[in-house]
Amino acid sequence: MMMKQKRPCNDAIQTSLLVLVRKLSDVLGVPISLQIGDPAFNIAQALVPARKAAEYLGVSQKTLANWRCSGTRGLQYVQVGSRILYRQNDLDDFILNSRKSSTSEKPAGRHG
C-alpha cells in the first residue's frame, strides 16, 4: 500500500526558497533580491533594521541617518513608529546603482 506524501506548507516552501536564493547569491557573489509576486517574497523578511542595513552597506548608522536627513543619496527607507527599516531590494539596488568604472565619475548626491 502506497502512503500519500504530505505536501509542505507555504511557509516551509517560502523558507526553503529564501535559503536557496541566499546560497545562490553567496555562490555568485551578487546580491539577489526577491520581487513582489515571487512565491518566496515575504515583506516581514525583506525589511532590515537600520543597524543591519549599515552593516550590509559597510557604513555607520550615523552615515545612514545623515543620508536620511539630507536626502542626497536616494536610499529609500520605511519608518514604523520610531523604527527605521530598509527594504532589502532598496539596499541591493543602491549598491548596484553606486557602481563606478572610473574615479573621475561624479558621485551621486548633492555634489554630483
Side-chain angles (χ1 to χ4, degrees):
M1 180 163 107
M2 196 170 190
M3 293 188 71
K4 245 186 171 178
Q5 189 173 5
K6 187 177 176 184
R7 291 181 55 179
C9 68
N10 284 342
D11 289 341
I13 292 170
Q14 286 182 351
T15 301
S16 297
L17 285 172
L18 284 171
V19 168
L20 181 63
V21 166
R22 286 186 182 129
K23 285 185 187 240
L24 182 60
S25 176
D26 289 343
V27 168
L28 296 175
V30 178
I32 299 174
S33 296
L34 300 173
Q35 301 296 320
I36 295 173
D38 286 349
F41 182 80
N42 181 332
I43 194 70
Q45 292 176 340
L47 291 176
V48 178
R51 178 180 53 80
K52 295 260 188 193
E55 203 174 283
Y56 184 73
L57 295 174
V59 299
S60 70
Q61 289 184 64
K62 178 131 176 89
T63 296
L64 282 182
N66 289 338
W67 291 352
R68 283 193 307 272
C69 287
S70 67
T72 58
R73 300 292 282 191
L75 182 57
Q76 299 288 309
Y77 66 95
V78 177
Q79 185 167 359
V80 180
S82 62
R83 293 186 67 202
I84 301 295
L85 305 166
Y86 292 86
R87 290 184 337 153
Q88 184 65 49
N89 288 356
D90 290 337
L91 296 172
D92 294 342
D93 289 345
F94 180 79
I95 290 170
L96 291 173
N97 292 327
S98 296
R99 292 178 16 177
K100 305 286 182 238
S101 59
S102 167
T103 57
S104 64
E105 287 184 50
K106 299 271 187 202
R110 67 177 158 201
H111 301 294

